Amino acid sequence: MEAAHVAGFKKKAAAEGRTIVFVDESGLSERPTVVRTWAPVGQTPQLEFSFRWNHLSVIAGVTWWNFYFRLHQGAIRGPQAAEFLGQIHRQIRRPLLVIWDGLAVHRSRKVKAFLERHPGQVHLAQLPGYAPELNPVEYLWGHLKQHGLANFCPRDLGELGAEARRKLRRMRAKPTLVRAFWKQADLSL
C-alpha cells in the first residue's frame, strides 16, 4: 500500500519534469555507536568516551544519483529546513519534488515562506505515517552510524562534525552506495 503511495509521486514527478528528492533528519551524538569489532585474542577492545549528551543534527536529501547534506548544532527547525531546501534547489537547478515525513518542522512558516518565494519550483509530498522504510535517507543514516562512525569516540562536537562530514563525503563519492539506499527502500526510478 505504501509503495503504491510513493509510485504516485514518481509518476507525478516524471510528468512535470521534476527531480525527486527524499529528505530526512537525524542526530549524531558524542556517545559512540558501539558495533562488533576485532581485537587480538585475549584483548577486549575498549572505547573511551565522555558521557556528554551533546549532539549535532544533520539533514540530507537523496536523489537517484547523489545526496546532499548539512550539519547543524542543536535541533533542526523551520529556518534550517527552509535553508536546506534552498541549498538543494540551487545545486540541482531543476524543479523538485521533495518527499519527506510528517515532522512539524516541514510545515513551519519558514518552509511555507520559502515555497511562496519559489512558486512552482519546489513541490512537497508527505510519506505515509509510520513508513520510514520507504525513505532511502533512513538507510543513509544506518550506513553512516553503523559503518562510517561506528565505535568513533570524538573529543568534542567539532571533531564529531569534521568526521561526519568526511564520512558523508566519502559515501557520496560512491554512486553504487547511493543506489543501494534506493534498493533497500524497495524503490526504483
Side-chain angles (χ1 to χ4, degrees):
M1 180 73 174
E2 289 97 3
H5 186 76
V6 175
F9 296 149
K10 177 181 160 185
K11 289 177 187 174
K12 178 179 169 73
E16 296 176 358
R18 295 184 179 280
T19 298
I20 295 176
V21 183
F22 280 85
V23 175
D24 194 35
E25 303 82 7
S26 187
L28 302 174
S29 173
E30 285 185 301
R31 299 182 67 193
T33 301
V34 179
V35 299
R36 177 176 273 174
T37 187
W38 67 273
V41 174
Q43 296 179 15
T44 303
Q46 300 291 318
L47 295 177
E48 295 180 16
F49 62 93
S50 68
F51 286 90
R52 292 186 300 258
W53 288 94
N54 298 330
H55 73 279
L56 294 174
S57 295
V58 60
I59 184 170
V62 174
T63 65
W64 176 242
W65 61 90
N66 201 354
F67 70 86
Y68 308 87
F69 66 91
R70 180 151 301 175
L71 288 135
H72 296 278
Q73 195 165 355
I76 292 182
R77 305 213 186 280
Q80 291 85 9
E83 178 186 321
F84 184 71
L85 289 177
Q87 173 193 346
I88 58 176
H89 183 249
R90 284 188 303 276
Q91 288 182 314
I92 295 175
R93 297 181 187 196
R94 291 188 58 197
L96 302 178
L97 174 62
V98 174
I99 303 173
W100 53 14
D101 57 25
L103 187 66
V105 167
H106 301 160
R107 299 181 306 275
S108 71
R109 279 185 257 139
K110 293 287 186 178
V111 170
K112 289 176 184 174
F114 171 82
L115 295 173
E116 289 171 3
R117 287 191 311 272
H118 299 87
Q121 290 298 303
V122 179
H123 284 190
L124 303 180
Q126 187 174 330
L127 284 167
Y130 303 103
E133 69 277 1
L134 293 176
N135 193 338
V137 187
E138 294 288 348
Y139 300 100
L140 181 144
W141 300 143
H143 187 81
L144 175 65
K145 292 175 183 180
Q146 293 295 317
H147 298 283
L149 296 176
N151 298 328
F152 177 64
C153 301
R155 288 186 301 272
D156 55 26
L157 281 179
E159 186 177 14
L160 175 62
E163 185 68 6
R165 274 186 199 85
R166 193 172 74 77
K167 295 296 184 179
L168 285 164
R169 287 180 181 138
R170 183 176 287 175
M171 289 166 56
R172 187 168 49 194
K174 298 177 182 177
T176 54
L177 189 58
V178 175
R179 284 193 297 278
F181 300 147
W182 284 87
K183 286 183 181 177
Q184 283 182 288
D186 207 17
L187 302 171
S188 63
L189 289 182

